[in-house]
Amino acid sequence: MTETILLDRPAERVARITLDRPRVLNALNLRTMQEITAATSELDGDPDVGAIILTGSAKAFAAGADIKEMAPQSFGDVHAADWLGGWEALSRVRTPLVAAVAGYALGGGCELAMMCDLLLAADTAKFGQPEITLGVLPGMGGSQRLTRAIGKAKAMDLILTGRTMDAEEAERAGLVSRIVPADALSEETVSTASKIASMSKPAVMLAKEAVHRAFETSLSEGLLFERRLFHSTFATHDQKEGMTAFIEKRPPEFRHR
Ligand code: HXC
């Protein structure tokens, strides 16, 4: 039984996790971290799930880590518990994660959205890393993922001043995949997730892995990694089906294997 998130299946092969702590603008406490990582890991192992949506409310995707939970902790507490380290489980999820962000995505909220593979933003979205205003710094990947996504100049601006940026600026900077009108965010996200989920699951998982490898390796190693993954798809049913369907001018019937 979950307390801080809602789970549903808005379309075939699509699962959705909705943050549900409206009174605190979906602030992320330890329980939320445990529930999201447990849910994504379970959905990742479900052959009938081809994409996972992570979303919040119209006012807030998430306004950050829960400040009231963090405030009394000592260095010894957070260091011994490797506070926030549990979020790393999200990077082990091989099924595509699609973030749908409306309203505030601040601090840990922005970092959670950046852990996803696609980021769809409503025109109301506001992104920022305001940890500096609390006397700390990003702790869930903000200094690393934001810098890789938007470059040093803008990352320093956001992280050192704590200012927020709107959806337009975030898209121009390369943080956001697409902006949609707020009232179309849910529909557009489900349709994007459905599209991904309709593709061959092994091909999708390998493609996700290839893109992630670009952040971890040299170009020549990355190109070799990609080519070997590409070769490996020729061992799947879905490669034969996808190419045969093209030649026969019909839609493919992927088995997702
Ligand atoms: C705990 C939070 C919260 C948070 C909002 N609330 N953000 N509680 N942790 N991160 C609570 C408020 O205390 C308030 O509860 C209720 O949500 C509504 O918030 P308001 O401030 O009244 O709403 P509003 O005036 O609309 O302002 C919205 C806001 C503001 C601009 C988003 O709430 C805000 O600045 N929040 C903090 C944003 C932030 O600093 N995030 C980074 C957190 S640190 P009550 O009970 O008073 O009604 C972080 C670290 C990551 O994420 C890891 C590294 C350590």
Side-chain angles (χ1 to χ4, degrees):
M1 188 62 191
T2 58
E3 245 175 44
T4 68
I5 59 170
L6 303 171
L7 295 166
D8 71 337
R9 300 283 177 106
E12 202 185 333
R13 299 184 51 73
V14 175
R16 178 167 56 192
I17 300 173
T18 304
L19 289 156
D20 187 34
R21 299 188 75 210
R23 280 202 300 264
V24 288
L25 305 182
N26 293 330
L28 306 164
N29 61 10
L30 279 180
R31 174 102 195 187
T32 319
M33 178 184 82
Q34 284 153 1
E35 291 186 354
I36 290 180
T37 53
T40 47
S41 140
E42 192 178 327
L43 292 167
D44 197 30
D46 184 338
D48 293 330
V49 172
I52 303 168
I53 296 172
L54 193 54
T55 194
S57 69
K59 179 157 186 196
F61 176 73
D66 190 321
I67 298 169
K68 288 171 192 159
E69 185 181 60
M70 279 187 296
Q73 308 287 335
S74 68
F75 168 79
D77 296 333
V78 295
H79 184 254
D82 193 21
W83 193 267
L84 307 176
W87 285 110
E88 284 303 313
L90 275 193
S91 34
R92 291 192 291 276
V93 174
R94 298 161 76 207
T95 308
L97 295 167
V98 182
V101 176
Y104 297 110
L106 302 179
C110 185
E111 293 167 305
L112 178 57
M114 289 192 291
M115 287 180 212
C116 296
D117 302 304
L118 268 80
L119 202 169
L120 269 57
D123 47 14
T124 57
K126 286 194 182 350
F127 298 89
Q129 299 288 162
E131 289 91 342
I132 204 76
T133 67
L134 302 168
V136 293
L137 71 154
M140 282 166 55
S143 66
Q144 305 304 300
R145 290 198 179 93
L146 189 66
T147 307
R148 282 166 168 77
I150 69 177
K152 174 188 163 188
K154 270 208 182 286
M156 283 288 190
D157 183 9
L158 291 166
I159 290 169
L160 299 185
T161 70
R163 80 172 177 87
T164 58
M165 61 179 173
D166 64 16
E168 291 286 339
E169 183 181 359
E171 191 191 32
R172 276 198 310 277
L175 182 64
V176 160
S177 314
R178 254 184 257 166
I179 302 180
V180 295
D183 57 8
L185 180 67
S186 173
E187 197 184 324
E188 186 73 18
T189 309
V190 172
S191 123
T192 303
S194 291
K195 179 102 190 161
I196 294 169
S198 74
M199 305 298 174
S200 161
K201 191 165 181 190
V204 165
M205 288 164 89
L206 293 172
K208 166 172 169 164
E209 219 172 339
V211 174
H212 280 280
R213 188 55 70 98
F215 293 98
E216 305 284 352
T217 194
S218 67
L219 180 60
S220 58
E221 284 298 321
L223 290 171
L224 179 61
F225 182 74
E226 178 197 73
R227 202 157 61 247
R228 293 290 178 251
L229 292 183
F230 171 75
H231 295 159
S232 73
T233 60
F234 286 73
T236 65
H237 162 274
D238 286 353
Q239 173 268 333
K240 294 286 171 286
E241 170 61 12
M243 294 191 178
T244 306
F246 175 82
I247 293 163
E248 292 175 356
K249 300 188 189 301
R250 61 171 175 83
E253 283 178 34
F254 290 128
R255 272 194 217 150
H256 306 294
R257 312 184 66 80

